[in-house]
Amino acid sequence: MANERLAPSILSANFAKLGEEVDNILAAGADIVHFDVMDNHYVPNLTVGPLVCEALTKHGITAPIDVHLMVSPVDRIVGDFAQAGASIITFHPEASAHIDRTLQVIHSEGCKAGLVFNPATPLSHLDYVMDKIDMILIMSVNPGFGGQSFIPAALDKLRQARQRIDDSGFDIRLEIDGGVKVDNIAEIRDAGADTFVAGSGLFGHANESDPHRYDTIIQQFRDALK
Ligand code: DX5
Ligand code: ZN
């Protein structure tokens, strides 16, 4: 339980009040901030960049910021996010011409690094880099939009990724992203995930009594993990 981390995706937050939204979800007990970066090139949507990440840092967010880069190319933008306060930076192997080099760039900037696997991307990209990653992120939707349905094949992929992590002996987080809700998080955990991104499943569900608070929904996620 203590090892399981909830990572709200800011994509479903109210961007006009982003600092307050992130404060409120963390106050309710979320663990890390999942920061979705889309470039209208690698994925068909455009979101936010280092300026907004920096704004959250300056606002006083101290929880780890988990930057999910859905951009291509990757390397040039890494330093900007490190400067902006990113703790973890993950990227898609298809978006980098040189995966090993990108991992080195991220680490050289003082951040943790991870690889992200789209629903049809094979885990074989991990073969030669298990000693160079801190996180594996399994996409359970095709990247680009919040609010999509969980693709069930991600469960088997999680089991395979968990096996690879356990066999390697390295300390690597296993994160899931896309369509995570109160009613499926337990089976996702049972398949091996320890870090759970949720956007529409969290930010769409403020307390009934107070639209600025998220205690009820966070507690429901925690209870589902018991
Ligand atoms: C999709 C993003 C996800 C997404 C999750 O490209 O990487 O983080 O916002 O949103 P939900 O939880 O609504 O599927
Ligand atoms: Zn994401």
Side-chain angles (χ1 to χ4, degrees), residues 32-54:
I32 66 180
V33 179
H34 186 78
F35 194 95
D36 283 310
V37 183
M38 305 184 185
D39 68 350
N40 189 39
H41 170 71
Y42 179 64
V43 291
N45 198 358
L46 185 64
T47 58
V48 287
L51 269 178
V52 176
C53 186
E54 184 182 22

PDB file of all heavy atoms in Angstrom, residues 32-54:
ATOM      1  N   ILE A  32       2.045  12.003  -6.686  1.00  0.00           N
ATOM      2  CA  ILE A  32       2.906  12.683  -7.661  1.00  0.00           C
ATOM      3  C   ILE A  32       2.034  13.357  -8.723  1.00  0.00           C
ATOM      4  O   ILE A  32       0.865  13.002  -8.894  1.00  0.00           O
ATOM      5  CB  ILE A  32       3.930  11.729  -8.323  1.00  0.00           C
ATOM      6  CG1 ILE A  32       3.260  10.669  -9.205  1.00  0.00           C
ATOM      7  CG2 ILE A  32       4.782  11.021  -7.271  1.00  0.00           C
ATOM      8  CD1 ILE A  32       4.278   9.734  -9.865  1.00  0.00           C
ATOM      9  N   VAL A  33       2.614  14.310  -9.417  1.00  0.00           N
ATOM     10  CA  VAL A  33       1.864  15.078 -10.425  1.00  0.00           C
ATOM     11  C   VAL A  33       2.260  14.574 -11.809  1.00  0.00           C
ATOM     12  O   VAL A  33       3.431  14.645 -12.193  1.00  0.00           O
ATOM     13  CB  VAL A  33       2.201  16.584 -10.304  1.00  0.00           C
ATOM     14  CG1 VAL A  33       1.447  17.382 -11.360  1.00  0.00           C
ATOM     15  CG2 VAL A  33       1.900  17.089  -8.897  1.00  0.00           C
ATOM     16  N   HIS A  34       1.278  14.031 -12.539  1.00  0.00           N
ATOM     17  CA  HIS A  34       1.560  13.535 -13.894  1.00  0.00           C
ATOM     18  C   HIS A  34       1.295  14.663 -14.888  1.00  0.00           C
ATOM     19  O   HIS A  34       0.180  15.167 -15.001  1.00  0.00           O
ATOM     20  CB  HIS A  34       0.673  12.324 -14.193  1.00  0.00           C
ATOM     21  CG  HIS A  34       0.985  11.658 -15.499  1.00  0.00           C
ATOM     22  ND1 HIS A  34       2.065  10.812 -15.666  1.00  0.00           N
ATOM     23  CD2 HIS A  34       0.373  11.715 -16.701  1.00  0.00           C
ATOM     24  CE1 HIS A  34       2.098  10.373 -16.913  1.00  0.00           C
ATOM     25  NE2 HIS A  34       1.081  10.914 -17.574  1.00  0.00           N
ATOM     26  N   PHE A  35       2.342  15.024 -15.619  1.00  0.00           N
ATOM     27  CA  PHE A  35       2.340  16.238 -16.443  1.00  0.00           C
ATOM     28  C   PHE A  35       2.450  15.819 -17.913  1.00  0.00           C
ATOM     29  O   PHE A  35       3.531  15.442 -18.395  1.00  0.00           O
ATOM     30  CB  PHE A  35       3.540  17.086 -16.014  1.00  0.00           C
ATOM     31  CG  PHE A  35       3.543  18.499 -16.503  1.00  0.00           C
ATOM     32  CD1 PHE A  35       3.057  19.537 -15.718  1.00  0.00           C
ATOM     33  CD2 PHE A  35       4.045  18.809 -17.756  1.00  0.00           C
ATOM     34  CE1 PHE A  35       3.081  20.849 -16.165  1.00  0.00           C
ATOM     35  CE2 PHE A  35       4.071  20.120 -18.208  1.00  0.00           C
ATOM     36  CZ  PHE A  35       3.584  21.141 -17.416  1.00  0.00           C
ATOM     37  N   ASP A  36       1.328  15.854 -18.623  1.00  0.00           N
ATOM     38  CA  ASP A  36       1.258  15.345 -19.996  1.00  0.00           C
ATOM     39  C   ASP A  36       1.636  16.422 -21.007  1.00  0.00           C
ATOM     40  O   ASP A  36       0.946  17.428 -21.149  1.00  0.00           O
ATOM     41  CB  ASP A  36      -0.167  14.856 -20.292  1.00  0.00           C
ATOM     42  CG  ASP A  36      -0.446  13.508 -19.660  1.00  0.00           C
ATOM     43  OD1 ASP A  36       0.370  12.589 -19.845  1.00  0.00           O
ATOM     44  OD2 ASP A  36      -1.487  13.370 -18.993  1.00  0.00           O
ATOM     45  N   VAL A  37       2.715  16.159 -21.732  1.00  0.00           N
ATOM     46  CA  VAL A  37       3.225  17.123 -22.712  1.00  0.00           C
ATOM     47  C   VAL A  37       2.986  16.577 -24.125  1.00  0.00           C
ATOM     48  O   VAL A  37       3.517  15.530 -24.488  1.00  0.00           O
ATOM     49  CB  VAL A  37       4.738  17.359 -22.501  1.00  0.00           C
ATOM     50  CG1 VAL A  37       5.243  18.418 -23.473  1.00  0.00           C
ATOM     51  CG2 VAL A  37       5.018  17.757 -21.064  1.00  0.00           C
ATOM     52  N   MET A  38       2.178  17.286 -24.902  1.00  0.00           N
ATOM     53  CA  MET A  38       1.826  16.845 -26.264  1.00  0.00           C
ATOM     54  C   MET A  38       2.179  17.944 -27.256  1.00  0.00           C
ATOM     55  O   MET A  38       1.982  19.126 -26.977  1.00  0.00           O
ATOM     56  CB  MET A  38       0.337  16.542 -26.344  1.00  0.00           C
ATOM     57  CG  MET A  38      -0.138  15.536 -25.307  1.00  0.00           C
ATOM     58  SD  MET A  38      -1.870  15.143 -25.540  1.00  0.00           S
ATOM     59  CE  MET A  38      -2.163  14.094 -24.112  1.00  0.00           C
ATOM     60  N   ASP A  39       2.671  17.517 -28.425  1.00  0.00           N
ATOM     61  CA  ASP A  39       3.287  18.490 -29.352  1.00  0.00           C
ATOM     62  C   ASP A  39       2.568  18.665 -30.692  1.00  0.00           C
ATOM     63  O   ASP A  39       3.100  19.335 -31.585  1.00  0.00           O
ATOM     64  CB  ASP A  39       4.739  18.088 -29.609  1.00  0.00           C
ATOM     65  CG  ASP A  39       4.849  16.785 -30.398  1.00  0.00           C
ATOM     66  OD1 ASP A  39       3.813  16.095 -30.583  1.00  0.00           O
ATOM     67  OD2 ASP A  39       5.970  16.462 -30.835  1.00  0.00           O
ATOM     68  N   ASN A  40       1.408  18.022 -30.870  1.00  0.00           N
ATOM     69  CA  ASN A  40       0.698  18.092 -32.155  1.00  0.00           C
ATOM     70  C   ASN A  40       1.566  17.580 -33.312  1.00  0.00           C
ATOM     71  O   ASN A  40       1.433  18.029 -34.445  1.00  0.00           O
ATOM     72  CB  ASN A  40       0.219  19.522 -32.454  1.00  0.00           C
ATOM     73  CG  ASN A  40      -0.695  19.576 -33.672  1.00  0.00           C
ATOM     74  OD1 ASN A  40      -1.516  18.684 -33.875  1.00  0.00           O
ATOM     75  ND2 ASN A  40      -0.542  20.594 -34.505  1.00  0.00           N
ATOM     76  N   HIS A  41       2.464  16.657 -32.995  1.00  0.00           N
ATOM     77  CA  HIS A  41       3.351  16.109 -34.018  1.00  0.00           C
ATOM     78  C   HIS A  41       3.516  14.616 -33.724  1.00  0.00           C
ATOM     79  O   HIS A  41       3.082  13.777 -34.511  1.00  0.00           O
ATOM     80  CB  HIS A  41       4.699  16.847 -33.970  1.00  0.00           C
ATOM     81  CG  HIS A  41       5.761  16.235 -34.810  1.00  0.00           C
ATOM     82  ND1 HIS A  41       5.752  16.273 -36.176  1.00  0.00           N
ATOM     83  CD2 HIS A  41       6.895  15.560 -34.472  1.00  0.00           C
ATOM     84  CE1 HIS A  41       6.827  15.636 -36.652  1.00  0.00           C
ATOM     85  NE2 HIS A  41       7.520  15.193 -35.633  1.00  0.00           N
ATOM     86  N   TYR A  42       4.063  14.319 -32.560  1.00  0.00           N
ATOM     87  CA  TYR A  42       4.126  12.906 -32.151  1.00  0.00           C
ATOM     88  C   TYR A  42       2.730  12.399 -31.798  1.00  0.00           C
ATOM     89  O   TYR A  42       2.404  11.239 -32.033  1.00  0.00           O
ATOM     90  CB  TYR A  42       5.085  12.721 -30.964  1.00  0.00           C
ATOM     91  CG  TYR A  42       5.118  11.285 -30.527  1.00  0.00           C
ATOM     92  CD1 TYR A  42       5.597  10.287 -31.371  1.00  0.00           C
ATOM     93  CD2 TYR A  42       4.590  10.894 -29.293  1.00  0.00           C
ATOM     94  CE1 TYR A  42       5.562   8.953 -31.002  1.00  0.00           C
ATOM     95  CE2 TYR A  42       4.561   9.562 -28.924  1.00  0.00           C
ATOM     96  CZ  TYR A  42       5.049   8.607 -29.783  1.00  0.00           C
ATOM     97  OH  TYR A  42       5.000   7.285 -29.420  1.00  0.00           O
ATOM     98  N   VAL A  43       1.912  13.253 -31.207  1.00  0.00           N
ATOM     99  CA  VAL A  43       0.500  12.924 -30.933  1.00  0.00           C
ATOM    100  C   VAL A  43      -0.383  14.056 -31.465  1.00  0.00           C
ATOM    101  O   VAL A  43       0.073  15.204 -31.563  1.00  0.00           O
ATOM    102  CB  VAL A  43       0.211  12.721 -29.416  1.00  0.00           C
ATOM    103  CG1 VAL A  43       0.866  11.463 -28.896  1.00  0.00           C
ATOM    104  CG2 VAL A  43       0.648  13.934 -28.609  1.00  0.00           C
ATOM    105  N   PRO A  44      -1.622  13.731 -31.808  1.00  0.00           N
ATOM    106  CA  PRO A  44      -2.497  14.735 -32.425  1.00  0.00           C
ATOM    107  C   PRO A  44      -3.190  15.640 -31.412  1.00  0.00           C
ATOM    108  O   PRO A  44      -4.412  15.780 -31.427  1.00  0.00           O
ATOM    109  CB  PRO A  44      -3.507  13.871 -33.193  1.00  0.00           C
ATOM    110  CG  PRO A  44      -3.602  12.629 -32.386  1.00  0.00           C
ATOM    111  CD  PRO A  44      -2.243  12.391 -31.782  1.00  0.00           C
ATOM    112  N   ASN A  45      -2.418  16.238 -30.532  1.00  0.00           N
ATOM    113  CA  ASN A  45      -2.990  17.173 -29.568  1.00  0.00           C
ATOM    114  C   ASN A  45      -1.839  18.036 -29.056  1.00  0.00           C
ATOM    115  O   ASN A  45      -0.662  17.668 -29.195  1.00  0.00           O
ATOM    116  CB  ASN A  45      -3.653  16.407 -28.415  1.00  0.00           C
ATOM    117  CG  ASN A  45      -4.624  17.254 -27.620  1.00  0.00           C
ATOM    118  OD1 ASN A  45      -4.810  18.446 -27.886  1.00  0.00           O
ATOM    119  ND2 ASN A  45      -5.250  16.650 -26.620  1.00  0.00           N
ATOM    120  N   LEU A  46      -2.197  19.171 -28.503  1.00  0.00           N
ATOM    121  CA  LEU A  46      -1.194  20.133 -28.049  1.00  0.00           C
ATOM    122  C   LEU A  46      -1.543  20.537 -26.622  1.00  0.00           C
ATOM    123  O   LEU A  46      -2.679  20.937 -26.357  1.00  0.00           O
ATOM    124  CB  LEU A  46      -1.253  21.348 -28.972  1.00  0.00           C
ATOM    125  CG  LEU A  46      -0.234  22.460 -28.802  1.00  0.00           C
ATOM    126  CD1 LEU A  46       1.170  21.960 -29.095  1.00  0.00           C
ATOM    127  CD2 LEU A  46      -0.577  23.604 -29.757  1.00  0.00           C
ATOM    128  N   THR A  47      -0.569  20.404 -25.718  1.00  0.00           N
ATOM    129  CA  THR A  47      -0.904  20.774 -24.334  1.00  0.00           C
ATOM    130  C   THR A  47       0.070  21.818 -23.802  1.00  0.00           C
ATOM    131  O   THR A  47       0.065  22.945 -24.287  1.00  0.00           O
ATOM    132  CB  THR A  47      -0.953  19.521 -23.415  1.00  0.00           C
ATOM    133  OG1 THR A  47       0.307  18.860 -23.458  1.00  0.00           O
ATOM    134  CG2 THR A  47      -2.060  18.574 -23.821  1.00  0.00           C
ATOM    135  N   VAL A  48       0.856  21.448 -22.842  1.00  0.00           N
ATOM    136  CA  VAL A  48       1.655  22.447 -22.121  1.00  0.00           C
ATOM    137  C   VAL A  48       3.137  22.089 -22.142  1.00  0.00           C
ATOM    138  O   VAL A  48       3.506  20.946 -22.366  1.00  0.00           O
ATOM    139  CB  VAL A  48       1.188  22.562 -20.657  1.00  0.00           C
ATOM    140  CG1 VAL A  48      -0.150  23.268 -20.577  1.00  0.00           C
ATOM    141  CG2 VAL A  48       1.135  21.194 -19.996  1.00  0.00           C
ATOM    142  N   GLY A  49       3.974  23.099 -21.896  1.00  0.00           N
ATOM    143  CA  GLY A  49       5.416  22.900 -21.944  1.00  0.00           C
ATOM    144  C   GLY A  49       6.102  23.297 -20.649  1.00  0.00           C
ATOM    145  O   GLY A  49       5.461  23.419 -19.591  1.00  0.00           O
ATOM    146  N   PRO A  50       7.403  23.535 -20.738  1.00  0.00           N
ATOM    147  CA  PRO A  50       8.203  23.820 -19.541  1.00  0.00           C
ATOM    148  C   PRO A  50       7.736  25.043 -18.755  1.00  0.00           C
ATOM    149  O   PRO A  50       7.851  25.061 -17.525  1.00  0.00           O
ATOM    150  CB  PRO A  50       9.612  24.067 -20.104  1.00  0.00           C
ATOM    151  CG  PRO A  50       9.623  23.413 -21.432  1.00  0.00           C
ATOM    152  CD  PRO A  50       8.230  23.445 -21.954  1.00  0.00           C
ATOM    153  N   LEU A  51       7.186  26.052 -19.436  1.00  0.00           N
ATOM    154  CA  LEU A  51       6.734  27.252 -18.719  1.00  0.00           C
ATOM    155  C   LEU A  51       5.682  26.912 -17.672  1.00  0.00           C
ATOM    156  O   LEU A  51       5.702  27.451 -16.555  1.00  0.00           O
ATOM    157  CB  LEU A  51       6.116  28.252 -19.710  1.00  0.00           C
ATOM    158  CG  LEU A  51       7.023  29.293 -20.336  1.00  0.00           C
ATOM    159  CD1 LEU A  51       6.227  30.141 -21.315  1.00  0.00           C
ATOM    160  CD2 LEU A  51       7.633  30.171 -19.237  1.00  0.00           C
ATOM    161  N   VAL A  52       4.768  26.028 -18.043  1.00  0.00           N
ATOM    162  CA  VAL A  52       3.685  25.670 -17.103  1.00  0.00           C
ATOM    163  C   VAL A  52       4.235  24.781 -15.985  1.00  0.00           C
ATOM    164  O   VAL A  52       3.831  24.908 -14.820  1.00  0.00           O
ATOM    165  CB  VAL A  52       2.513  25.004 -17.851  1.00  0.00           C
ATOM    166  CG1 VAL A  52       1.441  24.533 -16.885  1.00  0.00           C
ATOM    167  CG2 VAL A  52       1.914  25.981 -18.866  1.00  0.00           C
ATOM    168  N   CYS A  53       5.182  23.940 -16.333  1.00  0.00           N
ATOM    169  CA  CYS A  53       5.841  23.116 -15.300  1.00  0.00           C
ATOM    170  C   CYS A  53       6.556  24.023 -14.302  1.00  0.00           C
ATOM    171  O   CYS A  53       6.438  23.860 -13.080  1.00  0.00           O
ATOM    172  CB  CYS A  53       6.814  22.163 -15.989  1.00  0.00           C
ATOM    173  SG  CYS A  53       7.574  20.969 -14.889  1.00  0.00           S
ATOM    174  N   GLU A  54       7.268  24.989 -14.825  1.00  0.00           N
ATOM    175  CA  GLU A  54       7.980  25.938 -13.960  1.00  0.00           C
ATOM    176  C   GLU A  54       7.001  26.733 -13.088  1.00  0.00           C
ATOM    177  O   GLU A  54       7.259  27.003 -11.912  1.00  0.00           O
ATOM    178  CB  GLU A  54       8.806  26.900 -14.820  1.00  0.00           C
ATOM    179  CG  GLU A  54       9.652  27.847 -14.011  1.00  0.00           C
ATOM    180  CD  GLU A  54      10.425  28.823 -14.892  1.00  0.00           C
ATOM    181  OE1 GLU A  54      10.031  29.054 -16.055  1.00  0.00           O
ATOM    182  OE2 GLU A  54      11.421  29.361 -14.404  1.00  0.00           O
TER     183      GLU A  54
END
